Amino acid sequence: MTRHFTKDHEWIEVANGIGTVGITDYAQHALGDVVYVELPAVGKALVQKQEAAVVESVKAASDVFSPADGAVTGVNGGLADEPARLNGDPEGEAWMFRISLAKPEQVEALMDEAAYKTFCEGLG
Amino acid sequence: MQNPAPDIPLNHTPLDTLHRELGAKIVSFAGYAMPVQYPAGVMKEHLHTRRAAGLFDVSHMGQVLLHGDADAALEALTPADISALPRDRMRYTQFTTETGGIIDDLMVTRRAPAMLQLVVNAGGKAEDLNHLSAHLTSGVEIEYLADQALLALQGPQAAAVLARYVPGIDRMPFMTGMSAPLLGAPAYITRSGYTGEDGYEISIPNENAEPVARTLLSQAEVMPIGLGARDSLRLEACMCLYGHDIDQSTTPVEANLAWSIGKRRREQGGFKGAETIRRQLADPPARLRVALLPADRTPARDGTPILDAGGAVVGTVTSGGFSPSLDRPVAMGYVPTHLAFPGTELTLSVRGKPLAAKVVRMPFVPTRYFRG
């Protein structure tokens, strides 16, 4: 199972047509202390590169974009109660939402882990 | 989330090397490369300042000396009572426009009978200097202190820490200042700040800034604090941030800063915007800056519309974020005066969703100044 990454620092991992989405460690580090997470409603249709969720640190609000088109099948509801978990394990237990992929090929076109690593290094 | 904007050439404070060594995240602020946070993060930095002591580099702010008899000239530009200001005492005031708006807010300290020190915002200093030079009478010399750094040591342990190096400075009252040697550097120290805590602002020559900062940071109580926590601390204290809570479209009365207007000045006027400001002091203005407490955990940021009970937009949030001390969001904004009473229920429209909020008394977190 491979994981893909967007230039906006979201990750997506697909299993059986369902993509699990979160933000990367680079993203949580850039955001700082997360104090609020707004997750999409289950069933909501998301569009690639469109706003899907909101993550707020003490200082600022940031949009999380959907890495692909699809309907939301589930959310990590615990994050709303404990938003700071996003600073702990954003690429693991602090995943954000799941979508049933409408166009799986959109994911294949994203960066793989090596490409994303190079991309982040280029950001300095 | 979006990528950061590309770098542009920036000014650097004398503590730039130290910030980077401490692992600060550097951002562009008012033309300066400034630490927004250190590895501890905004939350820990904020709480540490409230609990112990934090050291802030605020060298980007403008430090100006007015030499000569500048009292009358400065009174023409601000509503503060300057002529009654004793030596080594300071006041908070605003440069006002002809219509009562605010060009910048500043601190004024009388360092000597014929020498006033102004501390102005980084973003406003060029405009402030032009404003001063255009209006100050002949015989007043304006000196911009480009070679002075400004450090802030804030928090309940600040006095105990600084008294190790400047004996007796823990007895100096809030809003006073004194010249004193600090670790061999000629310093001018005021008991003031932008956090709501007890603390000091220390003006010292650039070349002394780093050794002084290193020594203060070597004390167990002291942690370096970035602009992120500086903003959340001042928000909890309901202090205004220029360009957000106050600007040329807001008057000191609307901004709930009437306390900073001298009694004699209210009666006599004689400052820019006096007509509007005196009228608003007599008959309350149409709107007021208030503190707002959202009911749930959704932060309401700058620009969030404020709605009345009928759903009509009646104002805007001017500063909003998360309060680490209260562990909940807090905000400030302008509302019609009849809706400005504590307890008034309002609605904030965050990303189109209605969010209940209540007007509360300022500040969110009680101030802890040392008044002697």
Side-chain angles (χ1 to χ4, degrees), chain B residues 23-80:
Chain B
K25 185 156 115 191
I26 304 289
V27 298
S28 160
F29 182 81
Y32 283 79
M34 296 298 291
V36 67
Q37 65 176 75
Y38 297 89
V42 176
M43 191 84 78
K44 286 199 178 78
E45 291 171 27
H46 179 116
L47 295 171
H48 185 88
T49 305
R50 290 260 182 261
R51 195 173 49 230
L55 184 71
F56 304 70
D57 178 12
V58 289
S59 302
H60 60 312
M61 298 192 77
Q63 300 181 69
V64 181
L65 291 181
L66 303 181
H67 299 277
D69 185 1
D71 292 12
L74 198 56
E75 286 199 348
L77 304 181
T78 72

Side-chain angles (χ1 to χ4, degrees), chain B residues 53-314:
Chain B
L55 184 71
F56 304 70
D57 178 12
V58 289
S59 302
H60 60 312
M61 298 192 77
Q63 300 181 69
V64 181
L65 291 181
L66 303 181
H67 299 277
D69 185 1
D71 292 12
L74 198 56
E75 286 199 348
L77 304 181
T78 72
D81 192 338
I82 305 294
S83 62
L85 186 62
R87 184 171 180 168
D88 289 326
R89 294 282 298 267
M90 63 197 297
R91 295 211 197 297
Y92 168 76
T93 188
Q94 310 83 31
F95 289 127
T96 46
T97 68
E98 296 291 352
T99 53
I102 301 174
I103 296 168
D104 200 2
D105 61 341
L106 67 153
M107 291 291 220
V108 183
T109 309
R110 188 180 303 282
R111 286 181 55 165
M115 182 168 75
L116 295 170
Q117 172 184 280
L118 314 183
V119 177
V120 301
N121 285 299
K125 61 190 176 187
E127 190 179 351
D128 295 341
L129 286 170
N130 287 336
H131 187 59
L132 284 167
S133 61
H135 291 97
L136 290 195
T137 40
S138 59
V140 177
E141 185 207 334
I142 306 168
E143 182 190 2
Y144 178 68
L145 301 177
D147 300 323
Q148 288 286 114
L150 192 64
L151 308 181
L153 184 67
Q154 302 279 301
Q157 319 255 312
V161 170
L162 200 60
R164 286 171 203 151
Y165 309 100
V166 187
I169 202 150
D170 48 335
R171 295 192 295 275
M172 177 171 98
F174 179 58
M175 294 299 270
T176 68
M178 67 184 280
S179 293
L182 171 57
L183 294 155
Y188 190 82
I189 303 172
T190 62
R191 200 155 195 171
S192 65
Y194 194 48
T195 61
E197 292 296 326
D198 183 20
Y200 303 87
E201 291 199 351
I202 304 165
S203 177
I204 45 169
N206 282 343
E207 65 265 28
N208 300 112
E210 191 177 314
V212 165
R214 283 186 191 277
T215 301
L216 293 173
L217 288 171
S218 74
Q219 301 302 293
E221 301 92 334
V222 184
M223 196 166 143
I225 311 296
L227 291 183
R230 181 170 157 83
D231 188 51
S232 54
L233 287 159
R234 70 93 198 165
L235 174 55
E236 287 182 350
C238 287
M239 290 169 164
C240 291
L241 175 61
Y242 192 83
H244 294 257
D245 308 298
I246 48 175
D247 59 26
Q248 298 216 7
S249 76
T250 62
T251 73
V253 184
E254 292 168 347
N256 231 320
L257 301 172
W259 56 269
S260 68
I261 304 174
K263 184 166 177 287
R264 178 177 58 82
R265 308 305 313 280
R266 294 169 186 237
E267 288 162 6
Q268 296 175 359
F271 51 90
K272 285 185 183 293
E275 194 188 327
T276 302
I277 289 169
R278 292 175 75 201
R279 189 177 62 238
Q280 291 184 342
L281 286 166
D283 297 306
R287 60 175 188 161
L288 284 172
R289 178 176 63 103
V290 295
L292 295 160
L293 201 57
D296 80 3
R297 298 193 68 80
T298 314
R301 308 283 176 180
D302 185 0
T304 299
I306 304 172
L307 282 56
D308 67 10
V313 175
V314 291

Side-chain angles (χ1 to χ4, degrees), chain A residues 7-10 26-27 29-33 35-36 38 51 54 56-65 119 123, chain B residues 1-4 25 36-37 40-44 227-228 231-232 297-301 320-322 324 350-351 353:
Chain A
K7 288 183 177 178
D8 297 312
H9 307 284
E10 293 94 14
Y26 179 97
H29 193 74
L31 284 164
D33 299 309
V35 297
Y36 178 76
E38 192 171 288
E51 183 193 315
V54 178
E56 303 210 21
S57 66
V58 181
K59 187 80 184 124
S62 285
D63 291 332
V64 175
F65 303 109
F119 172 73
L123 297 176
Chain B
M1 60 167 285
Q2 296 83 4
N3 285 316
K25 185 156 115 191
V36 67
Q37 65 176 75
V42 176
M43 191 84 78
K44 286 199 178 78
L227 291 183
D231 188 51
S232 54
R297 298 193 68 80
T298 314
R301 308 283 176 180
F322 189 82
V350 179
R351 292 181 286 274
K353 280 180 223 160

Side-chain angles (χ1 to χ4, degrees), chain A residues 80-102:
Chain A
D81 298 324
E82 292 178 80
R85 279 167 51 197
L86 261 179
N87 292 116
D89 189 13
E91 299 191 29
E93 66 91 19
W95 60 276
M96 296 185 71
F97 57 89
R98 294 198 167 110
I99 50 173
S100 61
L101 296 172

Side-chain angles (χ1 to χ4, degrees), chain A residues 5-82:
Chain A
F5 298 83
T6 71
K7 288 183 177 178
D8 297 312
H9 307 284
E10 293 94 14
W11 58 266
I12 181 166
E13 189 170 292
V14 182
N16 304 320
I18 303 289
T20 300
V21 178
I23 61 169
T24 65
D25 191 58
Y26 179 97
Q28 75 78 18
H29 193 74
L31 284 164
D33 299 309
V34 175
V35 297
Y36 178 76
V37 176
E38 192 171 288
L39 297 166
V42 172
K44 187 179 179 185
L46 300 181
V47 177
Q48 188 180 39
K49 294 181 184 172
Q50 300 285 305
E51 183 193 315
V54 178
V55 175
E56 303 210 21
S57 66
V58 181
K59 187 80 184 124
S62 285
D63 291 332
V64 175
F65 303 109
S66 184
D69 294 6
V72 178
T73 61
V75 297
N76 189 354
L79 288 182
D81 298 324
E82 292 178 80

